[in-house]
């Protein structure tokens, strides 16, 4: 663009386009950050909003490390990525090995992570090297969910093959298989490692005592989850508030209801 129309080819400095909230700034790694106007920030991030670019398809899961210094993400592109959560949020490692989409991922500790995949397996990974430590085979369909036990060396998986399995991460022994009437779409473990929670397409949360070998249901949590939500399924189970509250997230054709079950009182609220 000519400057003043006198010299052809002379360039005029273009001002960066701004929004009401601030300006978009390149992070130098293919991503972008929104820098807001206002008081001086104290965060270690380059900007309040960071765009982490690296996956080649939909991202199905993301979890912070126990120390909060890293983020693990899993994608439909069959990979997991490890990110810093400060500065430019650099991508540190790529975990490759799954043959289909990564549907859920969790941290076992600061050195190991686990993942569940549509390739019918779950996997254990070394955070330092990005190498796969172990592959958990046995499910005959998609592994929708996985969850490590904080209080015991156990990994729980749930699958479309209508089973939940409990694996010992220290040995190659056969897993405990708990059969369900319908596909298992979500699993969770209690803080003590004594109880396992499973959720499925029937909208029912089933509780099992892992110390018992009979695989009998200890109790069920239904509340507003069963019956009224036709066509819904359990998408997630998570403990919060000191591990006394179980969070259910339902997928529905219309709307996305969320209900909270207080485990101590077995009371359910729906929002």
């Amino acid at each position: 663009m000519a400057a003043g129309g006198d010299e052809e080819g002379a360039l005029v400095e273009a001002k960066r386009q701004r929004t009401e909230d601030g300006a978009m700034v390149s992070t130098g790694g293919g991503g972008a950050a929104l820098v807001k106007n206002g008081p001086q920030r104290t965060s270690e991030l380059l900007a309040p909003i960071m765009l982490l670019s690296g996956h080649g398809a939909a991202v199905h899961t993301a979890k912070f490390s126990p120390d909060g210094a890293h983020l693990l993400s899993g994608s439909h592109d069959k990979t997991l990525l490890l990110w810093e959560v400060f500065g430019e949020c650099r991508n540190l490692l790529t975990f490759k090995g799954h043959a289909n989409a990564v549907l859920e991922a969790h941290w076992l500790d600061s050195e190991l992570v686990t993942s569940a995949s549509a390739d019918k397996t779950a996997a254990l990974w070394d955070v330092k090297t990005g190498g796969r430590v172990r592959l958990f085979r046995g499910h005959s369909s998609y592994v929708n969910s996985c969850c490590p036990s904080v209080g015991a060396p156990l990994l729980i998986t749930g699958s479309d093959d209508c089973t939940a399995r409990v694996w010992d991460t220290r040995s190659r022994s056969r897993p405990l298989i708990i059969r369900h009437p319908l596909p298992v779409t979500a699993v969770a473990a209690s803080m003590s490692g004594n109880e396992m929670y499973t959720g499925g397409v029937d909208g029912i949360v089933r509780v099992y005592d892992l110390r018992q070998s009979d695989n009998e249901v200890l109790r069920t949590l239904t509340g507003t989850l069963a019956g009224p939500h036709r066509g819904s399924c359990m998408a997630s189970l998570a403990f919060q508030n000191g591990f006394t509250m179980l969070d259910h997230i339902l997928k529905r054709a219309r709307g996305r209801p969320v209900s909270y079950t207080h485990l101590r009182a077995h009371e359910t609220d729906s929002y």
Side-chain angles (χ1 to χ4, degrees):
M1 180 176 180
D6 295 331
E7 299 181 13
E8 294 185 2
L11 300 179
V12 176
E13 182 179 1
K15 293 183 178 179
R16 188 180 302 278
Q17 184 178 1
R18 302 184 70 85
T19 67
E20 292 180 0
D21 294 326
M24 292 300 295
V25 177
S26 172
T27 63
L34 178 62
V35 179
K36 290 189 174 183
N37 300 320
Q40 183 178 2
R41 297 174 49 253
T42 58
S43 169
E44 294 183 0
L45 288 174
L46 181 65
I49 302 175
M50 300 295 295
L51 177 64
L52 308 184
S53 300
H55 282 297
V59 177
H60 296 303
T61 182
K63 297 292 190 305
F64 283 102
S65 61
D67 60 6
H70 299 91
L71 179 72
L72 178 71
S73 59
S75 168
H76 205 79
D77 66 7
K78 309 174 188 177
T79 69
L80 296 106
L81 296 182
L82 182 67
W83 309 86
E84 290 179 340
V85 293
F86 53 86
E88 295 185 0
C89 294
R90 292 185 304 137
N91 174 217
L92 301 176
L93 277 176
T94 299
F95 302 84
K96 294 182 178 181
H98 280 301
N100 208 331
V102 178
L103 302 179
E104 189 168 12
H106 283 279
W107 293 78
L108 271 72
D109 50 41
S110 59
E111 298 181 353
L112 294 172
V113 297
T114 184
S115 58
S117 173
D119 66 4
K120 307 177 186 179
T121 71
L124 190 64
W125 308 86
D126 188 320
V127 173
K128 293 184 178 180
T129 66
R132 190 173 64 195
V133 177
R134 183 178 174 187
L135 190 65
F136 300 91
R137 297 179 182 271
H139 284 292
S140 60
S141 188
Y142 300 155
V143 180
N144 298 308
S145 181
C146 64
C147 183
S149 173
V150 177
L154 302 175
L155 176 66
I156 303 169
T157 56
S159 169
D160 267 9
D161 65 8
C162 303
T163 69
R165 302 187 182 219
V166 184
W167 312 77
D168 188 333
T169 58
R170 301 171 303 177
S171 70
R172 300 283 177 173
S173 59
R174 297 184 62 180
L176 172 66
I177 301 176
I178 302 177
R179 304 191 183 279
H180 289 64
L182 293 170
V184 179
T185 52
V187 296
S190 64
M191 182 64 177
S192 65
N194 294 331
E195 292 184 345
M196 176 182 76
Y197 295 74
T198 65
V201 297
D202 54 7
I204 298 175
V205 177
R206 294 175 173 83
V207 186
Y208 299 87
D209 190 335
L210 294 175
R211 296 167 296 182
Q212 304 297 325
S213 59
D214 53 12
N215 298 346
E216 292 294 327
V217 177
L218 186 62
R219 61 182 183 275
T220 59
L221 309 177
T222 53
T224 61
L225 299 178
H229 301 323
R230 293 181 179 179
S232 62
C233 69
M234 193 74 60
S236 174
L237 295 176
F239 284 90
Q240 63 180 26
N241 293 349
F243 297 89
T244 61
M245 182 180 288
L246 191 65
D247 185 15
H248 318 287
I249 303 177
L250 296 176
K251 287 182 177 177
R252 297 178 59 195
R254 296 181 180 178
R256 294 171 179 259
V258 178
S259 65
Y260 300 90
T261 298
H262 299 265
L263 298 182
R264 288 177 177 172
H266 304 295
E267 298 175 352
T268 302
D269 300 319
S270 182
Y271 297 89

